[in-house]
Amino acid sequence: MCRYAVDLPLVLKVMAGKNIEKLSLDKEVSLCSLKFFSMENDGGCLFVSPVDEELVQAQRRVVKHLEVELGVSVQPINIYNLRYSFQIWSASMSSDGSKGQSFTDLMANGSSLWPSLELLKWMFGLSKHTLPAIGIFNVLGLPVTQCPLGLSKAGLPLGIQIISSQHNDHLTLALAQHLEKSLVGWTPPGSI
């Protein structure tokens, strides 16, 4: 949505509308007092490619940076059921929405949407939705902030996802802003 993490709270305030008070975006965040966890892969889902080694190394640099700069302990975790994220996503996208508006309804924006077809269209570059928009953490209603970490050796963007519990967007945004200032934030691509 924007290049710099400092701009995200303002964008989110506009997007959240009347629900803005749920997000505590103006609340001070002490990063040193938070618990940090790191997961380098999904545990081996058949539908997902392995994580590129440069991404793993970038994430490890972030972990080391947090431990040294903030004095926190970053715990490695393995969420076993995350390997079933495609199945969870598919079931959630196909729910009937009887308890309110389903994620599929929100994505469809008044028209019809077939989640499996949308994923297939995404694979061929024909979907109007991004993969993160149809991703597992969005379906679960968790705040996710994509944090750029510079470019790979091939000039491709590197980054991690910062995830928190529901309505704790201020935590993911604060960490993204910290990493942007103290590590590598958004990097312009090479000249064409």
Side-chain angles (χ1 to χ4, degrees), residues 15 21-22 30 34 37-38 48 77 85 92 94 96 104 106 110 124 141 144 161 166 171 175 178 187:
M15 292 173 54
E21 71 278 352
K22 293 180 181 178
S30 170
L34 299 179
F37 302 92
S38 177
V48 179
I77 60 168
S85 61
S92 296
S94 302
D96 65 5
T104 304
L106 293 171
F124 291 100
V144 178
Q161 289 185 330
Q166 194 171 37
L171 301 179
L175 182 56
H178 170 77
T187 304

Side-chain angles (χ1 to χ4, degrees), residues 14-181:
V14 172
M15 292 173 54
K18 64 180 179 173
N19 294 316
I20 191 64
E21 71 278 352
K22 293 180 181 178
L23 303 182
S24 305
L25 293 177
D26 294 322
K27 185 176 180 180
E28 279 292 319
V29 175
S30 170
L31 293 175
C32 299
S33 66
L34 299 179
K35 291 182 180 180
F36 291 90
F37 302 92
S38 177
M39 187 168 170
E40 293 181 355
N41 61 57
D42 68 358
C45 176
L46 296 174
F47 300 103
V48 179
S49 301
V51 178
D52 185 86
E53 187 59 30
E54 283 188 87
L55 282 172
V56 172
Q57 292 306 318
Q59 183 172 339
R60 288 178 182 168
R61 281 192 299 278
V62 169
V63 168
K64 184 174 182 174
H65 174 78
L66 293 175
E67 291 179 334
V68 171
E69 292 292 316
L70 299 178
V72 298
S73 175
V74 180
Q75 302 298 312
I77 60 168
N78 182 7
I79 304 172
Y80 178 80
N81 287 335
L82 194 58
R83 70 183 62 210
Y84 302 113
S85 61
F86 177 78
Q87 292 89 334
I88 295 167
W89 169 83
S90 184
S92 296
M93 293 290 284
S94 302
S95 69
D96 65 5
S98 61
K99 295 182 181 177
Q101 217 173 8
S102 71
F103 192 75
T104 304
D105 294 336
L106 293 171
M107 283 182 61
N109 197 24
S111 59
S112 63
L113 180 96
W114 293 68
S116 299
L117 177 61
E118 204 60 40
L119 182 61
L120 184 63
K121 285 168 52 179
W122 176 84
M123 292 169 64
F124 291 100
L126 301 173
S127 175
K128 65 179 181 176
H129 301 287
T130 63
L131 186 59
I134 55 178
I136 185 66
F137 297 113
N138 292 82
V139 169
L140 296 175
L142 302 177
V144 178
T145 302
Q146 177 66 25
C147 187
L149 296 172
L151 302 176
S152 71
K153 291 175 187 169
L156 299 173
L158 295 172
I160 59 170
Q161 289 185 330
I162 304 169
I163 304 160
S164 188
S165 56
Q166 194 171 37
H167 302 303
N168 280 307
D169 304 71
H170 65 292
L171 301 179
T172 64
L173 297 174
L175 182 56
Q177 290 176 38
H178 170 77
L179 293 175
E180 183 176 81
K181 289 177 190 171

